[in-house]
Amino acid sequence: MNNKKCPACGCEMKRNGRTGSGAQRWRCRACGASSTHANDSAARDLRSFVGWLLPKDTQLDMPGQGRTFRRKTSRFWGIWPMPEVVDEIHRVVFVDGIWIARDLVVLIACSEPHVLSWHLARAETASAWRSPLSRIAPPDTVVADGGSGFASAAAKEWPETKVQRCTFHAFCQVRRKTTTRPKLQAGKELYALAKELLHIETLHQADWWVERYMQWCEFWADFLEETSIVDGRRVYAHGRIREARSGLTRLVNKGVLFTYLGPGLTAEGPMPAMNNRIEGAINAQLRAVLRNHRGLSALKRAKAVFWWCYLHVESPKSMADTLREMPTDADVERLRDEYGVKADEVGAPQKWGEGLVWDELHHATRYPYATE
């Protein structure tokens, strides 16, 4: 308290008598502003809760071996930290989804330095992806891993944004079908072509790669049409290689493999070809948080992801503002009652994704949290 700073200018304040209620009054030595000091225990407890949730700490390390900590912080599990509208236009945005449970995924969008938006859904559907995208100003380019539903959502929400398919995921798509040691010559050649995607740096190299891929398709066309009889049905003899070929062909035809080499985009500097930013700096950190707190329910795991994302935006709110402004489980239930949607328990599947409550909390307006 002896080091109280002025909320207006940040300079040191001095004691200046007391208010009518007996509270200590403080006056700034620089600007003359006067204020009182409030000991916000709720904000302090929330800071302690977040400090335990995100680092690699256990409740046994807390005072009272966690009993006091749990008593003071259990109410904070009811808070849903929500993203705000992002008006700034970014050069590139990365998107991906991290699965919390079999039917529960958090869709995340981020820039190079910060998390931009997130959304809880049952699956990576187009309607689910539209929610986080609608809250972000359309960027120049978006890098995606090709998850289902995203392309349709991006076409509706960001029609002018160019899409870059992560080249590493495109390579992995082929590797899953051919393995790293394919036995057939066609598989060996296709695997080698897919591996080259990770090292293409110029438009000339990209054009040469597409030409050789087309030559491969033409040369092995008859081979991949061969069929055999299995259980009385006629099937393709080399189905896995055909699936790998189909995936690459779709990407080539859509023109999303080498978007990062476009002259209009590289004028201000090189563009990313892979989703490494969100995979390494965000998803890996989130998996570490969930791994450190094994045993949490699906609902609490989702909220842990929400808290991590919320604290990694460009300007997170103070803990006091967070307590005052963010929706809680009670707000969700109130909205559910107003809209006539019923649920037997908090963890019911209808809580996630396209339900009325979550559409309300993820609404694209600037004021999505009103409950009256």
Side-chain angles (χ1 to χ4, degrees):
M1 187 174 292
N2 293 331
N3 297 323
K4 180 171 173 58
K5 303 295 183 181
C6 177
C9 66
C11 295
E12 186 176 345
M13 304 184 77
K14 65 176 182 178
R15 287 184 172 87
N16 187 40
R18 293 185 178 274
T19 66
S21 62
Q24 178 68 59
R25 184 187 292 113
W26 296 80
R27 182 173 294 277
C28 179
R29 297 177 183 271
C31 68
S34 179
S35 67
T36 57
H37 176 76
N39 185 14
D40 193 342
S41 59
R44 184 186 64 232
D45 291 341
L46 178 58
R47 193 176 298 109
S48 176
F49 170 76
V50 174
W52 160 79
L53 182 62
L54 301 187
K56 190 177 181 180
D57 294 332
T58 65
Q59 293 186 7
L60 287 176
D61 300 327
M62 304 295 174
Q65 294 185 333
R67 290 187 295 272
T68 302
F69 171 78
R70 286 191 295 272
R71 175 173 52 81
K72 290 184 175 181
T73 62
S74 60
R75 54 178 169 158
F76 300 134
W77 281 117
I79 298 175
W80 287 99
M82 306 298 289
E84 295 186 345
V85 173
V86 179
D87 294 326
E88 179 184 355
I89 298 178
H90 292 82
R91 189 162 174 248
V92 59
V93 168
F94 305 86
V95 298
D96 196 12
I98 180 168
W99 287 88
I100 305 299
R102 182 182 59 83
D103 57 352
L104 188 62
V105 60
V106 179
L107 310 178
I108 302 174
C110 74
S111 61
E112 285 285 356
H114 305 293
V115 177
L116 300 178
S117 188
W118 54 94
H119 176 72
L120 189 64
R122 285 180 290 181
E124 296 188 51
T125 61
S127 59
W129 269 116
R130 290 189 66 179
S131 181
L133 299 189
S134 66
R135 304 184 61 80
I136 304 173
D140 295 333
T141 306
V142 57
V143 182
D145 64 0
S148 59
F150 173 78
S152 176
K156 293 179 180 179
E157 296 294 336
W158 296 346
E160 303 300 324
T161 298
K162 298 185 181 299
V163 177
Q164 167 62 47
R165 176 70 153 85
C166 175
T167 53
F168 179 75
H169 282 86
F171 160 70
C172 291
Q173 181 178 314
V174 174
R175 185 180 61 182
R176 282 194 297 269
K177 301 300 180 180
T178 64
T179 74
T180 57
R181 295 182 179 181
K183 296 181 179 180
L184 299 176
Q185 185 61 29
K188 293 179 181 179
E189 294 179 8
L190 183 59
Y191 176 75
L193 280 170
K195 200 171 183 179
E196 288 182 22
L197 287 173
L198 308 179
H199 308 288
I200 293 178
E201 299 178 351
T202 65
L203 277 175
H204 177 73
Q205 293 175 344
D207 292 338
W208 176 232
W209 184 92
V210 172
E211 182 178 346
R212 287 184 295 127
Y213 174 69
M214 292 303 179
Q215 291 174 354
W216 178 90
C217 291
E218 183 178 358
F219 182 84
W220 294 103
D222 293 338
F223 174 77
L224 295 179
E225 292 297 323
E226 294 179 1
T227 60
S228 59
I229 304 298
V230 178
D231 297 331
R233 296 185 301 111
R234 185 173 295 277
V235 297
Y236 288 107
H238 314 294
R240 293 179 64 85
I241 298 180
R242 286 176 59 88
E243 292 175 5
R245 179 190 64 175
S246 297
L248 275 183
T249 300
R250 281 194 298 270
L251 297 178
V252 171
N253 291 339
K254 291 180 179 178
V256 297
L257 268 180
F258 305 112
T259 303
Y260 69 102
L261 298 174
L265 296 175
T266 57
E268 300 180 10
M271 298 292 290
M274 304 180 190
N275 228 358
N276 292 346
R277 170 66 182 89
I278 197 169
E279 289 286 355
I282 294 181
N283 286 356
Q285 300 298 322
L286 290 174
R287 292 187 181 98
V289 169
L290 299 178
R291 185 168 56 250
N292 293 337
H293 298 291
R294 292 184 295 272
L296 293 178
S297 66
L299 182 64
K300 289 185 177 180
R301 291 201 298 273
K303 289 184 178 180
V305 172
F306 270 46
W307 274 114
W308 192 97
C309 292
Y310 177 70
L311 295 177
H312 286 80
V313 299
E314 184 174 2
S315 300
K317 297 179 182 294
S318 67
M319 294 301 166
D321 290 340
T322 299
L323 283 172
R324 184 169 54 253
E325 299 177 14
M326 290 301 161
T328 64
D329 288 340
D331 296 326
V332 173
E333 292 303 326
R334 189 182 313 156
L335 289 170
R336 187 175 297 279
D337 292 339
E338 290 182 4
Y339 285 106
V341 181
K342 298 180 180 179
D344 295 332
E345 56 183 0
V346 173
Q350 55 265 42
K351 290 284 185 177
W352 321 124
E354 301 83 4
L356 290 175
V357 170
W358 281 106
D359 275 349
E360 176 69 15
L361 293 181
H362 292 83
H363 200 270
T365 66
R366 293 177 180 273
Y367 311 102
Y369 308 134
T371 57
E372 297 181 357

